[in-house]
Structure formats: C-alpha cells, structure tokens
Amino acid sequence: SWGLAPLCYTREDSSKDLKTGNTMTETTQFGLPLFYRHVIALSDGSRPGEKTEDETIFFMGALKKSTTRGPSSTNILAGIYSSEDSGADWTRRWLWFLGSASQQGKDFTCYFHPLWYYDNDDGRKSFFLLFGLFRRMTDPLAGETNTSGLWWIVNDSTRKGQIYSNGRFRPTDDHTFWFFPFYCRNSETTIDKGDETWSTTWWAPVIPLLYHHSENGYRHTNVALLFD
C-alpha cells in the first residue's frame, strides 16, 4: 500500500488458493475530492489468462458498478441519473425514476411521469399522454388499432381479422366510435367469396333518443323508443 495523505491512498492485497491455484487480488483506492475505487479480480488457476473482475467506483456523487460476469450499473447523485446494462438489455432512469427508457429483449419502454408513456413490445405499440388525455394502441398481429382522448370519453377503434363460418375463414372489419354519452357508432363488414355483408348501428342517448341500424337489405330507426 502507499498514499499521500490526505490526497490519495492505494492498497492491494493478493491471496492464492494452493489447492485450486485460483488467485484473488483486491485493490482499494481513496482520493480527494470524493473518490473511491474498489476492485476484486479473480484468476482461474485451471485456465491461465482467464480472469473475472468486479469494480466499484465512486466520484463526486457518481457511483458505477461493473463486473465481467454480468450486469453493470451507474448512479449519479443518488438517482438524478442511473443506468443498468446486461448484455443487449439496458435501462436508463433520470430524475429519481420520473423518467425511464429501457430495452428488455424485444420490448422497448420509455416514459416521463406524469406526461407520457410509450411501449413497443415486438410491434405492439402503446402511447399515453397525461394518463389518458390521449391514448393510442396498435397491434399489427391482431389487426387492432385503438385511439381515445379525454380519458376515454372519445374513442375510435378498428379491428381487422377473420371469422370462421360455414367451414371457411372470412375477412372481417369491425369499427367502433363513441363520444360518451352523446353518440356511438359500430359498423361490421364481412367478405365471403367477393360478396360483402355489412351492418351499421348508431345511437344517440340524448333527448330525443335516436337509434339506427342498417345492414344488407334492412334498415331500422327508432326515436325516443316510441317511433319506428
């Protein structure tokens, strides 16, 4: 060990396991202003040249931990910024968890509370603004898209898929829109061997109550549950 008090200090200790031949080296360093470093290195006696190392560094409010065996992390000023890395996966946070961005496999997430939130999970996307002031979700695999605003008072959704009927699959398109509690509309379209089957329903639950339904060759309208 050596040092120049009170500016810096370094100490290194080594030990060897006579049975396995493994060698462990521990290094500790202090310094001004606010510096600390600690390293533990382990050499495998059965595999010359192979070494694992764990390192911790602290400097001026920033803390970093890393290892050759797994994830590493960084933390600045007890949370104003932090990061974690593990292979291809990573996480970044700032302002004491108010904001975050991360990649975990095929799932990417990014948010800043309470303003917005975004998630992309292998193509399935979600976006929120002010916890519901605006919201949009898309799922290409399911053929679904949903957009809403004003905390679900206004909503527009579409679903394109297939239904199984009479021994075969038929493409369908389902669309719904509402402005609660004033208006709601739903339409469905199914195509079978080039022939199109469709239906549309809308209603307005305000005075006077209005209801309308139409499909291939049929229409029905009702006013105030009294007049058809």
Side-chain angles (χ1 to χ4, degrees):
S1 63
W2 63 271
L4 181 61
L7 298 179
C8 60
Y9 170 81
T10 298
R11 177 172 177 169
E12 183 175 298
D13 297 307
S14 296
S15 61
K16 185 174 183 179
D17 190 322
L18 298 180
K19 293 183 179 180
T20 63
N22 294 345
T23 301
M24 185 180 73
T25 302
E26 184 174 2
T27 303
T28 304
Q29 295 175 313
F30 294 94
L32 292 178
L34 299 176
F35 173 79
Y36 168 80
R37 179 174 181 263
H38 183 242
V39 181
I40 298 179
L42 180 63
S43 300
D44 192 336
S46 62
R47 300 177 181 178
E50 188 167 316
K51 182 174 66 173
T52 60
E53 187 174 275
D54 297 338
E55 181 180 48
T56 300
I57 299 177
F58 178 84
F59 178 66
M60 297 290 289
L63 175 65
K64 180 179 180 180
K65 294 183 178 181
S66 60
T67 174
T68 56
R69 298 173 297 176
S72 63
S73 64
T74 301
N75 193 306
I76 299 177
L77 295 178
I80 194 171
Y81 172 82
S82 65
S83 68
E84 297 177 5
D85 294 270
S86 179
D89 298 339
W90 54 268
T91 301
R92 306 286 185 268
R93 299 186 181 93
W94 52 90
L95 295 179
W96 301 278
F97 296 91
L98 286 178
S100 174
S102 66
Q103 181 76 50
Q104 305 295 325
K106 295 182 179 181
D107 186 7
F108 173 77
T109 303
C110 185
Y111 64 80
F112 189 80
H113 292 315
L115 299 179
W116 55 275
Y117 172 89
Y118 173 78
D119 179 75
N120 185 342
D121 185 3
D122 194 20
R124 294 183 293 272
K125 300 178 182 180
S126 303
F127 177 74
F128 296 83
L129 183 65
L130 289 175
F131 294 112
L133 177 64
F134 177 82
R135 168 182 172 269
R136 181 173 175 83
M137 301 178 67
T138 58
D139 187 346
L141 295 179
E144 296 180 354
T145 300
N146 184 277
T147 304
S148 62
L150 299 175
W151 297 276
W152 286 270
I153 291 177
V154 180
N155 186 84
D156 184 87
S157 63
T158 301
R159 184 180 187 277
K160 296 184 178 181
Q162 292 181 334
I163 61 172
Y164 187 77
S165 177
N166 296 327
R168 58 180 176 273
F169 288 96
R170 303 178 182 185
T172 63
D173 189 340
D174 188 342
H175 178 249
T176 301
F177 173 82
W178 76 65
F179 180 27
F180 185 81
F182 305 105
Y183 178 78
C184 178
R185 183 181 188 275
N186 173 260
S187 63
E188 298 181 9
T189 302
T190 302
I191 300 177
D192 182 23
K193 292 185 176 180
D195 295 329
E196 184 177 88
T197 302
W198 58 271
S199 67
T200 299
T201 301
W202 63 265
W203 53 273
V206 292
I207 297 175
L209 292 171
L210 299 176
Y211 171 86
H212 176 79
H213 175 81
S214 61
E215 58 183 76
N216 297 61
Y218 174 79
R219 292 176 182 271
H220 177 219
T221 302
N222 182 275
V223 180
L225 301 178
L226 298 175
F227 305 100
D228 286 330

